[in-house]
Amino acid sequence: MIPITELRYFVDTQPAYRILKPWWDVFTDYISVVMLMIAVFGGTLQVTQDKMICLPCKWVVNKTCRKYFNSTLTAPYLPEPKGIQYNLDRHQYNYVDAVCYENKLHWFAKYFPYLVLLHTLIFLACSNFWFKFPWTSSKLEHFVSILLKCFDSPWTTRALSETVVEESDPKALGKMNGSLDKKASCLSDDVEASPMLPPMSRFEQGIVDHTETGVLDKKEGEQAKALFEKVKKFRVHVEEGDIVYRLYIRQTTVKVIKFIVIICYTGFYVHNIQFHVDCSVDIENLTGYQMYHCTHPLATLFKILACFYISLVVVYGIICMYTLGWMLRRSLKKYSFESIREESSYSDIPDVKNDFAFMLHMIDQYDPLYSKRFAVFLSEVSENKLRQLNLNNEWTLDKLRQRITKNSQEKLELHLFMLGGIPDTVFDLVELEVLKLELIPDVTIPPIIAQLTNLREMWLYHTPARIEAPALAFLRENLKTLHIKFTDIKEIPLWIYSLKNLCELHLTGNLSADNNRYIVIDGLRELKRLKILRLKSNLTKLPQVVTDVGVHLLKLSVNNEGTKLMVLNSLKKMVNLSELELVRCDLERIPHSIFSLHNLQEIDLKDNNLKTIEEIISFQHLHRLVCLKLWYNQIAYIPIQIGTLTNLERLYLNRNKIEKIPSQLFFCRKLRFLDLSHNNLTCIPADIGFLQNLQHFAVTSNRIETLPPELFQCKKMRTLNLGNNYLQALPSRFGELTSLVQLELRGNRLEGLPVELGECHLLRRSGIIVEEGLFNTLPTEVKEKLWRTDKDPS
């Protein structure tokens, strides 16, 4: 006999799956166990006891056994047997029992235990098929695994406990239950409005509320972070289809159909389980009798078990029909967290669909607390809080201080790259002046930024930052410089247009004509104090908003990344410009609109396609022009009109194709910086001596063979770059350049250096850029003097 304890393996699925079994599945499993016990009990009795007991009939009337012979014929006397004697041995009896059991006992009475076993196994298979089917078992296993981890995660407990704290705080409660209109009105009080500003709803896109969070240790934080990623991937995978839902409803339908079939045929055949059975078989030649009267010893017990079994099946079927009705009556392919959103501070928990929704409905039938705790890992607000905690654990104050550097402007700078947000410890660096945020896709600037009282400059590179209203109020008063780099123009945070004290703005990204249909940058008009605007993009013309804001600009820089900038007439309106940069704009001529900007002091036309600069004569009207940069172009010659620019102090003509320097250039007596490197010059005119204010002179990478003596009349010369030329010897007059601090001679054909270099009192060894072997040709005392000067900066 099978031990009862072995029956549990028929119904015991993996323990973890129990949370997916609602009360009706548990109840029907227990019913199935009882059915199995009936089947095993009945089958065991049938195997161990006599199946049928038969005796021959001596009196047969119409093929029916009678107790005594009753004939209508007159007989001399009535037989009264005291005991019936049969001449059959044990084997004949056994044979008769077997033949009658096989041929005359009704099949339902014969196979009742096995039918019960078969039906019960089918019920069990249907109940647990969705746990075993390959296409669904993996999803269920993964779901249960994630669900249990989310349920036990310390972050879940902390997140829900924070909700309790917030609900107990009247201010937090009011904040949580406040309507969007109330938030908008509060924001309006904090952000100065203007008729020219974009609608406030646009600002709201980047302004959020702040909620304090607790602290997790590093290990717990990393585990919770991994759970968020698993939940995201699982949700994407499971919401694609509804195979779990369809399989469950089909297996429930099969059980209902099975119940109907069992009730129909069992109720019809149960009366065929009889204790008395007449058996008429043609075996008279073997036993001497043809009619036998048999008894089925288990009939009474089987009929009782059958009735009990039928009642169990009825209960089972009613539960299955209730389950089917529940599934058809409710929309189980959609699941709403509305109640959880109302109870908690996580109002962003999304509703789910398809198999994900169905599994959550099934979990609710087990314990709704599982769904509530699981919902924490569907909330972006919750994930952001966790990310912030992990950041705070990873980026300690000491670690951040080690990353602070000084930039070229001697300002204290912190660069954060590819983080999940801004660590709170950043705002303890009160000495910070420049904050760079790069590739941080989801960042919110909190109110505690107000602690950075020295902050004046921010960089947002591919970082569409949101901001809280108190933080915006602080930046509006204190931020002076802002750098923004973006791929899509819509990544530009809208709140930047309320930075009323912003003086310098750098925009790097796609601002092409196709994107001009977005009015995102129209808010530039509100930056009344903006003085410097840098655009690095691919414009074909300057947007109208740039022209409008240019009225009060002092510096405009456009780096067009090689795209041709064709329409520049709007530059005429920027009358206050003192610096203009048009870099890589594919300009072939100097734009005429520049000539009307009488306040210009510096013009930079770097890396264009200029071949001629005849228009330079018009620069004579720009009386304040002191710096002209025409470098990295295709200029073949310098027009003689260059001499009219008498106020010019810095001239960049390097990286062109100039072959000759006109003498008129040296009429620019105020020149302090002259760079003619990387051209095709063969000589330096003697008129160079007229430039008595020249301090920096560079002719690197030309074809110069000799130096004119007049060069050494430039007594203020500090930097002289003569590298990569054809010089074979150097004059002895180098000692006259007493202010010289840097001398480049590398890449020439020199055989030695003049001893007079020792008379250049400010020249050090580090300032002489020359091959080591060539330097060693100097006398020892000169070399020692140069080395000594290098070691003694004073």
Side-chain angles (χ1 to χ4, degrees):
M1 182 175 178
I2 302 176
I4 296 299
T5 55
E6 297 297 324
L7 297 178
R8 65 186 178 90
Y9 292 108
F10 288 101
V11 295
D12 191 18
T13 57
Q14 296 185 22
Y17 284 160
R18 290 175 181 172
I19 60 177
L20 282 173
K21 296 176 77 70
W23 66 265
W24 52 79
D25 276 351
V26 176
F27 193 29
T28 53
D29 281 347
Y30 282 117
I31 294 177
S32 299
V33 171
V34 178
M35 291 179 182
L36 278 176
M37 293 175 65
I38 292 174
V40 173
F41 180 61
T44 303
L45 290 177
Q46 195 162 8
V47 170
T48 57
Q49 296 189 15
D50 293 333
K51 297 180 180 180
M52 184 172 281
I53 301 173
C54 299
L55 292 176
C57 290
K58 286 196 173 186
W59 296 280
V60 179
V61 178
N62 296 327
K63 295 184 178 182
T64 302
C65 288
R66 296 298 185 195
K67 294 182 180 180
Y68 56 87
F69 182 76
N70 184 13
S71 175
T72 57
L73 299 174
T74 304
Y77 61 93
L78 184 66
E80 298 181 359
K82 300 299 182 181
I84 300 177
Q85 299 292 327
Y86 300 102
N87 298 321
L88 299 178
D89 59 18
R90 179 172 61 85
H91 296 292
Q92 289 174 315
Y93 281 119
N94 291 339
Y95 176 75
V96 171
D97 293 345
V99 171
C100 288
Y101 177 81
E102 185 66 29
N103 295 329
K104 295 301 179 179
L105 187 64
H106 193 273
W107 64 267
F108 185 77
K110 190 189 305 182
Y111 299 115
F112 168 72
Y114 308 110
L115 292 173
V116 173
L117 178 63
L118 177 63
H119 296 325
T120 304
L121 291 178
I122 293 175
F123 278 138
L124 288 172
C126 289
S127 296
N128 296 284
F129 185 70
W130 67 319
F131 294 126
K132 307 297 183 182
F133 188 59
W135 291 359
T136 58
S137 61
S138 59
K139 290 184 178 180
L140 296 174
E141 183 178 358
H142 196 185
F143 174 70
V144 170
S145 173
I146 293 176
L147 183 68
L148 294 177
K149 290 178 181 178
C150 293
F151 188 86
D152 296 331
S153 173
W155 171 245
T156 309
T157 304
R158 291 176 183 268
L160 293 177
S161 64
E162 287 171 8
T163 298
V164 174
V165 171
E166 289 176 359
E167 290 178 349
S168 64
D169 183 359
K171 293 182 180 180
L173 183 62
K175 186 174 182 179
M176 180 183 69
N177 294 332
S179 65
L180 184 62
D181 294 337
K182 184 179 291 185
K183 291 181 181 179
S185 62
C186 293
L187 182 63
S188 300
D189 294 337
D190 186 74
V191 180
E192 292 185 359
S194 169
M196 298 298 295
L197 276 176
M200 285 307 301
S201 59
R202 294 169 60 191
F203 287 97
E204 288 171 359
Q205 296 176 11
I207 301 180
V208 297
D209 291 329
H210 178 71
T211 304
E212 293 296 330
T213 56
V215 179
L216 289 180
D217 61 49
K218 185 175 181 180
K219 182 178 180 181
E220 292 173 342
E222 291 299 324
Q223 290 174 346
K225 180 181 177 182
L227 275 178
F228 271 105
E229 292 300 320
K230 287 183 179 179
V231 170
K232 284 182 182 179
K233 294 179 181 178
F234 179 76
R235 180 187 173 193
V236 171
H237 173 63
V238 174
E239 282 192 321
E240 292 177 349
D242 59 351
I243 185 172
V244 177
Y245 170 79
R246 288 188 286 111
L247 185 61
Y248 189 84
I249 199 171
R250 287 175 183 177
Q251 71 182 30
T252 305
T253 304
V254 170
K255 289 194 290 185
V256 171
I257 295 174
K258 187 71 176 175
F259 149 72
I260 296 173
V261 171
I262 292 174
I263 291 300
C264 290
Y265 91 85
T266 304
F268 181 78
Y269 287 115
V270 69
H271 70 276
N272 289 314
I273 302 178
Q274 299 177 352
F275 182 77
H276 295 285
V277 178
D278 287 337
C279 176
S280 175
V281 290
D282 190 14
I283 54 173
E284 189 174 359
N285 58 333
L286 298 176
T287 61
Y289 298 93
Q290 185 177 9
M291 190 70 186
Y292 300 87
H293 186 75
C294 305
T295 60
H296 184 203
L298 300 177
T300 303
L301 181 60
F302 275 12
K303 184 168 288 189
I304 294 173
L305 292 177
C307 293
F308 184 47
Y309 171 69
I310 291 173
S311 64
L312 290 177
V313 172
V314 170
V315 175
Y316 193 104
I318 292 173
I319 294 174
C320 291
M321 288 190 291
Y322 167 81
T323 304
L324 190 61
W326 177 77
M327 296 184 69
L328 297 177
R329 187 174 62 254
R330 300 185 60 180
S331 179
L332 300 182
K333 293 170 69 174
K334 294 180 180 179
Y335 189 93
S336 174
F337 289 99
E338 183 64 30
S339 60
I340 300 176
R341 288 194 291 264
E342 293 176 355
E343 295 174 2
S344 69
S345 61
Y346 303 117
S347 58
D348 66 319
I349 300 175
D351 295 337
V352 295
K353 60 183 180 179
N354 289 336
D355 281 343
F356 202 0
F358 174 67
M359 288 187 282
L360 287 173
H361 280 294
M362 299 298 281
I363 289 295
D364 282 348
Q365 298 302 315
Y366 182 83
D367 188 350
L369 183 60
Y370 278 93
S371 297
K372 182 176 181 180
R373 295 177 70 89
F374 184 72
V376 172
F377 289 87
L378 291 171
S379 168
E380 288 188 12
V381 173
S382 173
E383 185 177 9
N384 292 337
K385 288 183 179 180
L386 175 66
R387 186 185 298 118
Q388 191 64 45
L389 293 178
N390 288 339
L391 278 173
N392 295 340
N393 288 334
E394 179 181 359
W395 294 93
T396 61
L397 188 60
D398 291 338
K399 184 176 180 180
L400 287 172
R401 287 192 187 280
Q402 294 174 3
R403 296 178 67 92
I404 294 180
T405 58
K406 278 194 175 183
N407 61 17
S408 58
Q409 299 173 342
E410 294 298 315
K411 293 182 179 179
L412 293 178
E413 175 182 290
L414 177 63
H415 187 186
L416 300 179
F417 179 73
M418 292 186 69
L419 298 185
I422 307 177
D424 290 339
T425 44
V426 168
F427 307 109
D428 294 328
L429 304 171
V430 293
E431 70 276 17
L432 201 62
E433 297 174 272
V434 181
L435 179 59
K436 288 186 176 182
L437 306 177
E438 183 171 1
L439 288 173
I440 305 179
D442 188 10
V443 61
T444 300
I445 301 175
I448 54 175
I449 196 175
Q451 296 177 195
L452 304 180
T453 54
N454 294 315
L455 185 66
R456 296 294 181 269
E457 182 175 342
M458 282 190 68
W459 296 54
L460 300 176
Y461 273 22
H462 300 291
T463 302
R466 294 174 294 175
I467 192 169
E468 298 175 32
L472 180 59
F474 169 77
L475 293 181
R476 192 168 53 213
E477 297 295 331
N478 294 272
L479 198 64
K480 303 298 182 184
T481 304
L482 181 61
H483 300 250
I484 297 178
K485 189 173 184 178
F486 54 91
T487 301
D488 189 336
I489 194 172
K490 290 183 285 187
E491 295 176 16
I492 300 177
L494 300 177
W495 51 264
I496 69 170
Y497 305 124
S498 64
L499 301 175
K500 64 180 183 180
N501 287 327
L502 194 67
C503 297
E504 184 173 348
L505 178 62
H506 300 243
L507 295 178
T508 302
N510 185 11
L511 290 172
S512 64
D514 294 337
N515 278 332
N516 282 345
R517 64 182 183 272
Y518 301 114
I519 59 173
V520 177
I521 62 172
D522 283 357
L524 286 174
R525 294 185 178 92
E526 305 309 315
L527 303 179
K528 302 297 185 183
R529 299 188 182 180
L530 191 65
K531 301 301 180 185
I532 300 175
L533 177 61
R534 291 183 178 271
L535 303 175
K536 189 174 182 180
S537 186
N538 51 350
L539 302 168
T540 54
K541 65 177 182 178
L542 288 180
Q544 182 62 39
V545 64
V546 175
T547 305
D548 296 340
V549 78
V551 175
H552 47 80
L553 283 180
L554 297 181
K555 180 176 180 177
L556 174 64
S557 173
V558 179
N559 185 331
N560 219 34
E561 298 288 323
T563 302
K564 191 174 185 62
L565 187 60
M566 296 181 289
V567 183
L568 289 169
N569 292 332
S570 57
L571 287 175
K572 296 178 180 180
K573 299 179 181 180
M574 304 181 187
V575 293
N576 292 314
L577 277 184
S578 60
E579 295 184 35
L580 176 63
E581 294 180 4
L582 299 176
V583 178
R584 300 189 64 191
C585 296
D586 196 25
L587 301 177
E588 297 180 0
R589 306 294 293 265
I590 299 176
H592 290 277
S593 53
I594 294 178
F595 306 141
S596 59
L597 304 177
H598 299 293
N599 289 313
L600 275 181
Q601 298 178 21
E602 181 175 330
I603 299 174
D604 187 352
L605 300 178
K606 178 183 177 181
D607 204 3
N608 281 282
N609 196 24
L610 299 176
K611 295 181 174 61
T612 177
I613 52 174
E614 293 292 345
E615 299 87 352
I616 205 169
I617 188 173
S618 298
F619 283 162
Q620 62 182 327
H621 304 296
L622 307 179
H623 300 296
R624 298 185 180 183
L625 187 63
V626 295
C627 180
L628 180 59
K629 298 181 180 180
L630 300 172
W631 46 348
Y632 292 83
N633 279 284
Q634 307 294 324
I635 300 171
Y637 67 96
I638 303 173
I640 59 175
Q641 290 83 2
I642 190 71
T644 61
L645 307 182
T646 55
N647 291 320
L648 207 58
E649 296 180 5
R650 299 193 306 277
L651 179 60
Y652 295 76
L653 288 168
N654 49 307
R655 301 280 179 176
N656 279 286
K657 298 180 179 180
I658 300 171
E659 298 181 355
K660 183 180 179 181
I661 304 175
S663 59
Q664 287 80 2
L665 174 61
F666 303 106
F667 293 165
C668 304
R669 303 296 170 84
K670 293 183 180 181
L671 273 180
R672 293 184 291 106
F673 186 103
L674 179 58
D675 192 344
L676 292 162
S677 302
H678 298 273
N679 279 285
N680 298 322
L681 301 175
T682 56
C683 66
I684 300 174
D687 293 338
I688 187 72
F690 292 122
L691 302 180
Q692 292 297 308
N693 293 311
L694 193 62
Q695 298 179 15
H696 181 106
F697 182 54
V699 286
T700 304
S701 297
N702 280 280
R703 293 179 290 177
I704 297 171
E705 298 180 358
T706 60
L707 298 178
E710 291 78 7
L711 176 63
F712 303 98
Q713 296 176 10
C714 303
K715 305 299 183 181
K716 296 181 180 180
M717 187 78 71
R718 295 179 59 83
T719 301
L720 182 58
N721 293 339
L722 304 169
N724 295 309
N725 278 284
Y726 296 163
L727 297 175
Q728 297 181 1
L730 296 178
S732 59
R733 298 182 60 180
F734 267 94
E736 299 178 19
L737 302 178
T738 55
S739 299
L740 198 64
V741 295
Q742 178 176 314
L743 176 62
E744 181 193 8
L745 295 170
R746 182 174 49 198
N748 281 283
R749 301 174 182 179
L750 300 173
E751 296 181 357
L753 298 179
V755 179
E756 289 76 13
L757 287 179
E759 299 176 12
C760 301
H761 303 297
L762 300 179
L763 191 62
R764 305 172 184 175
R765 172 63 186 96
S766 59
I768 303 176
I769 305 172
V770 70
E771 293 85 351
E772 189 65 28
L774 195 57
F775 178 77
N776 289 333
T777 61
L778 287 171
T780 303
E781 61 274 12
V782 176
K783 290 192 293 184
E784 290 178 353
K785 182 179 180 181
L786 292 171
W787 279 113
R788 187 166 54 249
T789 307
D790 204 8
K791 295 177 182 177
D792 184 14
S794 60

